C-alpha cells in the first residue's frame, strides 16, 4: 500500500512538473536587447529577496535586471487586488512582457497574466548575464533561509562580522512567543522601548540598560523580527539611534518563517549574557529622532518634509486611528506618506506575503506627494511604530536625512495650542 502511495505521489509530481514545463515552453524566447527594442515590460518572478539583492546559489551577484518589476510566483492576489497590483507595476496587456526566473515561476506568472488578458508573453533568456540593480542596503533585509543557514553555522553571504543576536519584538508579555518562535530568539517587549503617557522613547539611560541587559554592544549584529514588522522596526530605529551599527530585519516577519516551513520552538526566550559596556556614548545618532519643536521648525524649512505614515482616513480626519487618541485630523503642512488599511497595518508598503515592496513602488507613492530622497524628512504616525518602518525602508534605500518624529499625532494633538487640519488635501496643498 505504501509503495502504491509513493508511486501515485511521484506520478502527481511528474505531471505537475510536466505541466509547468509545457506552460513555460510555450513562451517564445526573447533576449534582453530584443526586449528593450520592443519596449517590453520585464518581470522578475523569483522570491522578492532575490529581486532586492540576495544572490541565488551559485551566483556572484544578486538583484534584478534593471527596470524589471517584481511579481513573484509565490504571491496570491485576489480579484479586487489585481487591478491595483498591475497599475503599481506598470503592467499593460497591450505591451509585450518578458518574464524570467525558475521554470515553475515562469509557468505560474504566465498563467496569472494570461488570466488577466496578457497574451504577448515571452521568456527573457539572457537575464543571468545582465548587470543587476538592487536595494542599496539589501543585506539588512534578511530572509528566512539565510537566517536558518546562519543559525546552522553554514557559510552565508553578508555574514555578521562578529557577535550576532536574534530577537523577537512585540508588545507585552511573550504569549504568542511561548507557543511558537524562531529557535534561539530572545524577546524584547516594546514597553521597554517606549513609555506612557504618549508612548515616546524611554530615556537614553533606560534604553542603554535594556541593551546591556540583552548583551547588545554597538558592534553587535542584531537581527529582529516580529509578529508585526512594525514592532521590530520600532526596535530597529531605536537601536540605530543608540548606535548599533548592524541592525537587520527579517523581511516578512515570523510569517515568512512559517511560510518557509522552517523549524520553530516553544518555551521561554533565549537569555543572552549581559555586557558591561555599550562601547559608545548613546545616542550615536541623535539626528534619527525628531522632537515636536524640531517638527515645527522642519515645516518652515524649504527642503523640510513632515511625512504622515497613516491611513488616508486618519490623514483627512475621518478617524484618529486609535481607541486612546480622541482628536481626529493631522498636522497642517504635512504630506501623506501612505500606511495601510488601519493603524496596525503597513500594507501599502508590503507585497502580498508581507515582505517589503520594491523601492521603485515605494518611491512612486512618495513622489506623488513630492517627498524626495534629498529632502530633510521626518516620518511620523500615531505613536511611532509605522513611522519606524517607513524610516527603515528609506534607510535601506540610502536616504541620508531621515528621522522619526517620535511624538507623532498623539503628542501633537494632545496640545490644544498646536494647529490641526481635516478634510481632503492634494499633494500641491500640503
Amino acid at each position: 500500500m505504501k509503495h502504491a502511495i509513493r508511486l501515485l505521489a511521484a506520478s502527481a509530481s511528474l505531471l505537475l512538473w510536466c505541466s509547468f514545463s509545457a506552460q513555460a515552453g510555450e513562451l517564445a524566447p526573447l533576449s534582453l536587447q530584443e526586449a528593450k527594442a520592443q519596449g517590453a515590460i520585464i518581470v522578475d518572478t523569483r522570491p522578492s529577496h532575490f529581486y532586492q539583492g540576495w544572490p541565488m546559489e551559485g551566483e556572484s551577484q544578486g538583484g534584478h535586471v534593471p527596470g524589471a518589476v517584481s511579481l513573484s510566483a509565490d504571491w496570491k492576489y485576489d480579484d479586487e487586488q489585481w487591478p491595483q497590483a498591475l497599475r503599481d507595476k506598470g503592467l499593460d496587456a497591450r505591451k509585450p512582457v518578458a518574464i524570467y526566473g525558475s521554470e515553475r515561476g515562469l509557468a505560474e506568472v504566465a498563467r496569472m497574466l494570461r488570466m488577466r488578458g496578457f497574451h504577448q508573453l515571452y521568456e527573457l533568456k539572457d537575464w543571468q548575464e545582465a548587470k543587476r540593480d538592487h536595494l542599496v542596503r539589501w543585506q539588512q533585509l534578511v530572509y528566512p533561509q539565510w537566517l536558518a543557514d546562519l543559525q546552522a553555522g553554514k557559510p552565508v553571504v553578508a555574514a555578521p562580522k562578529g557577535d550576532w543576536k536574534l530577537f523577537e519584538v512585540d508588545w507585552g508579555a511573550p504569549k504568542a512567543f511561548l507557543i511558537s518562535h524562531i529557535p534561539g530568539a530572545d524577546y524584547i517587549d516594546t514597553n521597554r522601548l517606549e513609555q506612557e503617557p504618549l508612548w515616546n522613547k524611554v530615556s537614553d539611560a533606560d534604553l542603554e540598560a535594556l541593551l546591556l541587559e540583552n548583551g547588545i554592544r554597538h558592534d553587535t549584529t542584531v537581527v529582529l523580527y516580529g509578529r508585526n514588522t512594525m514592532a521590530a522596526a520600532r526596535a530597529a530605529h531605536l537601536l540605530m539611534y543608540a548606535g548599533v551599527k548592524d541592525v537587520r530585519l527579517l523581511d516578512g516577519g515570523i510569517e515568512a518563517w512559517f511560510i518557509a516551513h522552517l523549524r520553530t520552538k516553544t518555551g521561554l526566550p533565549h537569555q543572552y549574557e549581559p555586557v558591561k559596556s555599550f562601547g559608545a556614548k548613546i545616542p550615536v545618532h541623535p539626528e534619527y529622532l525628531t522632537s515636536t519643536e524640531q517638527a515645527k521648525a522642519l515645516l518652515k524649512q524649504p527642503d523640510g518634509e513632515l511625512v504622515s505614515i497613516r491611513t488616508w482616513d486618519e490623514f483627512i480626519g475621518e478617524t484618529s486611528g486609535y481607541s486612546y487618541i480622541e482628536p481626529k485630523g493631522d498636522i497642517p503642512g504635512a504630506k501623506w506618506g501612505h500606511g495601510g488599511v488601519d493603524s496596525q497595518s503597513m500594507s501599502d508598503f508590503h507585497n502580498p506575503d508581507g515582505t517589503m515592496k520594491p523601492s521603485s513602488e515605494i518611491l512612486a507613492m512618495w513622489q506623488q506627494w513630492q517627498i524626495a530622497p534629498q529632502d530633510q524628512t521626518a516620518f511620523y504616525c500615531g505613536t511611532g511604530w509605522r513611522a519606524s518602518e517607513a524610516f527603515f525602508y528609506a534607510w535601506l534605500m540610502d536616504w541620508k536625512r531621515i528621522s522619526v518624529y517620535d511624538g507623532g499625532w498623539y503628542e501633537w494633538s494632545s496640545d490644544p495650542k498646536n494647529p490641526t487640519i481635516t478634510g481632503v488635501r492634494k499633494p500641491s496643498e500640503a
Side-chain angles (χ1 to χ4, degrees):
M1 183 66 178
K2 290 182 179 178
H3 182 65
I5 291 172
R6 289 195 194 99
L7 284 174
L8 285 171
S11 298
S13 298
L14 181 60
L15 285 171
L16 185 61
W17 181 86
C18 290
S19 174
F20 283 138
S21 297
Q23 291 180 54
E26 294 174 6
L27 300 177
L30 202 66
S31 70
L32 183 57
Q33 185 176 0
E34 290 169 333
K36 290 179 179 179
Q38 294 183 28
I41 302 165
I42 299 174
V43 175
D44 188 326
T45 69
R46 303 171 302 157
S48 61
H49 51 268
F50 294 135
Y51 179 92
Q52 298 285 27
W54 291 93
M56 297 191 304
E57 187 175 355
E59 283 191 324
S60 59
Q61 62 170 344
H64 55 273
V65 172
V69 298
S70 180
L71 183 61
S72 173
D74 297 327
W75 296 342
K76 305 300 178 188
Y77 294 100
D78 60 34
D79 290 339
E80 293 181 355
Q81 293 172 320
W82 266 110
Q84 185 61 51
L86 295 176
R87 284 194 294 271
D88 288 345
K89 297 176 186 306
L91 285 166
D92 186 337
R94 296 169 296 182
K95 296 181 180 179
V97 176
I99 62 181
Y100 68 89
S102 69
E103 195 168 76
R104 187 196 71 83
L106 292 173
E108 177 60 17
V109 170
R111 183 190 67 80
M112 291 191 295
L113 291 177
R114 285 194 183 105
M115 288 176 64
R116 277 138 197 100
F118 287 76
H119 300 294
Q120 299 181 70
L121 299 176
Y122 300 88
E123 179 182 356
L124 192 67
K125 297 300 293 185
D126 54 353
W127 65 274
Q128 287 180 304
E129 288 74 44
K131 184 180 178 181
R132 311 277 183 86
D133 282 346
H134 54 77
L135 185 65
V136 177
R137 292 192 170 103
W138 55 268
Q139 303 96 327
Q140 309 307 125
L141 195 66
V142 306
Y143 65 100
Q145 192 58 56
W146 178 89
L147 179 56
D149 289 345
L150 179 67
Q151 289 178 317
K154 297 179 181 179
V156 293
V157 175
K161 294 181 179 178
D163 181 40
W164 69 276
K165 293 177 170 63
L166 174 68
F167 296 88
E168 180 173 320
V169 187
D170 206 348
W171 180 83
K175 296 177 181 178
F177 181 97
L178 295 175
I179 298 170
S180 181
H181 61 267
I182 297 176
D186 202 342
Y187 182 82
I188 293 177
D189 177 1
T190 57
N191 284 308
R192 299 289 306 278
L193 296 168
E194 52 190 15
Q195 59 191 345
E196 295 185 272
L198 298 174
W199 298 110
N200 285 352
K201 177 189 81 65
V202 296
S203 69
D204 289 346
D206 286 345
L207 178 59
E208 183 172 23
L210 173 65
L211 299 179
L212 298 182
E213 176 186 315
N214 286 283
I216 300 173
R217 290 175 41 85
H218 73 287
D219 53 0
T220 304
T221 294
V222 180
V223 182
L224 303 167
Y225 74 91
R227 310 276 155 173
N228 187 322
T229 299
M230 293 186 298
R234 176 65 158 160
H237 168 253
L238 292 179
L239 264 62
M240 292 166 65
Y241 159 86
V244 179
K245 295 178 181 179
D246 187 5
V247 179
R248 310 194 191 194
L249 282 187
L250 176 62
D251 199 14
I254 197 169
E255 188 61 30
W257 188 269
F258 294 152
I259 291 171
H261 303 293
L262 293 166
R263 186 173 68 90
T264 59
K265 187 179 179 181
T266 60
L268 295 172
H270 177 82
Q271 294 291 317
Y272 291 113
E273 190 73 25
V275 292
K276 294 182 179 180
S277 170
F278 181 68
K281 183 175 174 54
I282 294 176
V284 174
H285 290 290
E287 73 277 10
Y288 284 168
L289 205 67
T290 290
S291 67
T292 295
E293 291 308 310
Q294 289 171 323
K296 291 177 180 179
L298 194 64
L299 289 169
K300 299 175 183 178
Q301 190 173 315
D303 62 346
E305 309 290 2
L306 202 55
V307 178
S308 178
I309 305 297
R310 307 174 74 203
T311 67
W312 179 249
D313 284 348
E314 287 174 275
F315 185 69
I316 65 174
E318 292 292 323
T319 176
S320 75
Y322 301 82
S323 60
Y324 52 87
I325 300 179
E326 186 175 345
K328 301 175 183 178
D330 217 307
I331 301 173
K335 296 182 176 182
W336 187 47
H338 286 255
V341 296
D342 56 35
S343 62
Q344 298 300 308
S345 166
M346 281 286 280
S347 56
D348 290 352
F349 293 80
H350 292 165
N351 297 314
D353 60 356
T355 55
M356 176 188 169
K357 279 185 175 180
S359 58
S360 59
E361 294 183 32
I362 295 174
L363 287 171
M365 290 194 308
W366 287 345
Q367 285 169 353
Q368 291 174 354
W369 283 79
Q370 289 90 53
I371 302 164
Q374 67 271 17
D375 294 339
Q376 184 79 48
T377 304
F379 300 100
Y380 71 94
C381 52
T383 61
W385 285 32
R386 289 175 286 177
S388 295
E389 190 167 341
F391 167 92
F392 195 80
Y393 291 158
W395 179 75
L396 292 177
M397 292 185 271
D398 201 28
W399 286 34
K400 306 291 189 186
R401 307 166 69 201
I402 52 174
S403 65
V404 170
Y405 167 32
D406 194 26
W409 176 243
Y410 199 6
E411 181 172 322
W412 185 278
S413 64
S414 67
D415 185 349
K417 295 178 183 178
N418 289 333
T420 62
I421 188 171
T422 59
V424 175
R425 277 99 71 202
K426 298 177 181 178
S428 59
E429 298 169 337

